[in-house]
Amino acid sequence: MLQPVDAMSRLGTETAFEVLARANALAASGRDIINLGIGQPDFKTPDHVVEAAIKALHDGHHGYTQAAGIPGLRGAVADYLADRYAVSVDPATVLIVPGGKVTMWFAILMFGAPGTEILYPDPGFPIYGSAIAFSGAKPVPIPLREENGFAFDPDEVLDRITGRTRLIILNSPANPTGGAVPREVFDRLAAGLADHPHVAILSDEIYSRMLYDGREHVCLLSYPEIADRVILLDGWSKTYAMTGWRLGFSVWPGELINHAEKLAVNSHSCVNSAAQYAGLAALTGPQDSVDRMNRAFAERRRLIVDGLNDLPGVRCVEPGGAFYAFPNIEGTGMDAQSLQRRLLEEAGVATIAGTSFGQNGEGFIRFSYASDLSSIAAALDRIADFLKENGVS
Ligand code: PLP
């Protein structure tokens, strides 16, 4: 009998991939399924970015690159961050990684061990809790509440810090809630963190370019009082519709970059070379495709949030960013798992139960509106019919 380590039994998963598999199986059997479950832009990577990768292949960039990434790309990331947030980043602290997820894995491995504690948002991206549990650290949830627009309460975060806390994970704009934490909330947290110099902060900013109604992104590197403890997670997946390229970037405190680079050498050696050239073209080339995509998301957001609020038993706070709506469904009388299952099986609409993102997700389901307007409208109609048939008024 094979005996994998105990930690394997503590690893979780991402329900989104399971729902996708079930939705695809139903579609293959002839059912008409509208998929509002999966969290990836339904747009194509911009042409000039694809062309840059093709050119890199023709130019012979077929070999390993430096483990931390090609120097031009690390420099371009530093310039990009300087342009956007007026922060000064040493390119030597930038690590190019195969997707944003790798940054969170590295950060959690670096700080998580039995006897340590890691704070993370609940509801939040499911891999945080999974990786923390795997590491042996104690997962300490930071509750996110509907009445705060799903922003964390800085006092609650600070109260949860102990001498064993090694890492705090924050995510704005957020998955699954769409919550965008206001600057004054970050201000209060950053001020309080000055009293806890032993704590690192992983700031997951993968949705940094997806904000609505004139909101501006708050990058945690822009707080001088904590910047030397911030691990920044961002990348190309969402901003440039590049989820399948597996490309992300991180910025590490100077004292950690060598550790991060060693983790890269020990795991993936380097990121796919052509993808790095594509990433360079994305950062340095025209940004109009990003704006176009965000205008489309803004229109869909209006449709889905208003449509959800018109449904009986459902209320949805306005998401400030990302491409998710996270309505409260308690008024339907169904729990999150049952509603997710029944919407898929009976109404042909794939969504994700809030409980897939942590205990505090009970009473909510996540809709990804990375889908065209007519599909969103059709899904809302189907849900309205489903609720009517089930006596929800
Ligand atoms: N962080 C959050 C909050 C996400 O929602 C996702 C993807 O869904 C990621 C990180 C991972 O991004 P990537 O596909 O670049 O690994």
Side-chain angles (χ1 to χ4, degrees):
M1 173 108 150
L2 304 177
Q3 295 181 24
V5 296
D6 288 348
M8 287 309 301
S9 63
R10 299 197 296 269
L11 263 187
T13 186
E14 236 187 292
T15 317
F17 286 102
E18 286 163 19
V19 172
L20 181 65
R22 179 70 188 141
N24 287 343
L26 286 171
S29 74
R31 288 280 307 278
D32 175 23
I33 303 294
I34 302 174
N35 195 339
L36 302 183
I38 193 77
Q40 69 175 339
D42 56 323
F43 297 94
K44 280 178 27 195
T45 303
D47 283 345
H48 71 280
V49 176
V50 175
E51 291 305 326
I54 295 170
K55 180 171 183 314
L57 290 172
H58 282 309
D59 288 350
H61 294 292
H62 302 171
Y64 295 124
T65 73
Q66 293 88 339
I70 54 175
L73 186 55
R74 296 170 82 193
V77 167
D79 291 346
Y80 171 85
L81 295 171
D83 281 354
R84 297 197 64 77
Y85 313 122
V87 293
S88 162
V89 170
D90 180 353
T93 62
V94 174
L95 186 74
I96 306 301
V97 279
K101 246 182 196 172
V102 176
T103 302
M104 83 184 62
W105 185 243
F106 283 7
I108 292 168
L109 284 189
M110 216 179 274
F111 287 103
T116 69
E117 297 174 4
I118 299 183
L119 276 57
Y120 70 106
D122 177 354
F125 190 53
I127 301 307
Y128 304 143
S130 163
I132 296 167
F134 179 83
S135 76
K138 179 177 165 195
V140 181
I142 302 168
L144 304 183
R145 300 197 177 83
E146 186 186 14
E147 62 265 30
N148 298 334
F150 296 108
F152 58 81
D153 172 338
D155 295 325
E156 259 183 331
V157 177
L158 295 168
D159 282 349
R160 282 169 166 69
I161 297 176
T162 72
R164 292 177 297 281
T165 308
R166 294 289 175 272
L167 181 69
I168 299 178
I169 303 176
L170 302 172
N171 171 219
S172 175
N175 179 8
T177 63
V181 178
R183 186 176 291 277
E184 55 275 17
V185 174
F186 276 124
D187 289 351
R188 285 173 51 206
L189 182 71
L193 284 173
D195 296 333
H196 303 283
H198 64 292
V199 177
I201 304 113
L202 170 63
S203 186
D204 183 342
E205 303 183 14
I206 198 86
Y207 297 100
S208 57
R209 299 284 290 273
M210 293 175 172
L211 282 154
Y212 306 105
D213 300 333
R215 285 180 180 79
E216 274 186 16
H217 180 61
V218 183
C219 175
L220 287 206
L221 287 177
S222 63
Y223 286 92
E225 60 271 46
I226 55 167
D228 62 349
R229 289 187 271 150
V230 168
I231 301 162
L232 174 72
L233 180 166
D234 201 340
W236 288 261
S237 297
K238 318 286 174 174
T239 306
Y240 299 100
M242 292 177 71
T243 50
W245 294 72
R246 307 314 300 138
L247 187 65
F249 63 80
S250 38
V251 179
W252 294 80
E255 60 190 293
L256 298 182
I257 183 68
N258 285 344
H259 292 323
E261 197 169 337
K262 267 199 228 161
L263 284 171
V265 173
N266 276 272
S267 56
H268 57 262
S269 296
C270 67
V271 175
N272 175 308
S273 175
Q276 294 190 56
Y277 285 89
L280 184 57
L283 290 189
T284 55
Q287 302 294 302
D288 47 326
S289 59
V290 180
D291 299 336
R292 241 193 335 272
M293 199 161 72
N294 285 343
R295 277 197 299 276
F297 281 135
E299 207 180 336
R300 296 157 175 196
R301 166 179 169 269
R302 198 60 287 129
L303 177 70
I304 197 161
V305 173
D306 291 348
L308 288 168
N309 278 318
D310 283 344
L311 293 173
V314 177
R315 64 163 190 261
C316 184
V317 297
E318 193 87 4
F323 41 69
Y324 305 111
F326 200 60
N328 183 313
I329 49 94
E330 281 164 355
T332 65
M334 285 173 250
D335 62 45
Q337 282 289 349
S338 312
L339 187 58
Q340 170 200 297
R341 186 176 38 77
R342 295 190 59 192
L343 284 180
L344 179 56
E345 304 290 334
E346 298 173 37
V349 179
T351 62
I352 313 277
T355 42
S356 301
F357 304 96
Q359 282 185 354
N360 292 315
E362 184 54 276
F364 298 87
I365 54 174
R366 188 191 81 173
F367 288 80
S368 158
Y369 50 87
S371 198
D372 59 84
L373 287 169
S374 59
S375 302
I376 294 170
L380 288 165
D381 286 345
R382 289 185 189 188
I383 298 170
D385 291 345
F386 168 84
L387 293 173
K388 198 167 163 199
E389 281 159 21
N390 285 280
V392 181
S393 54

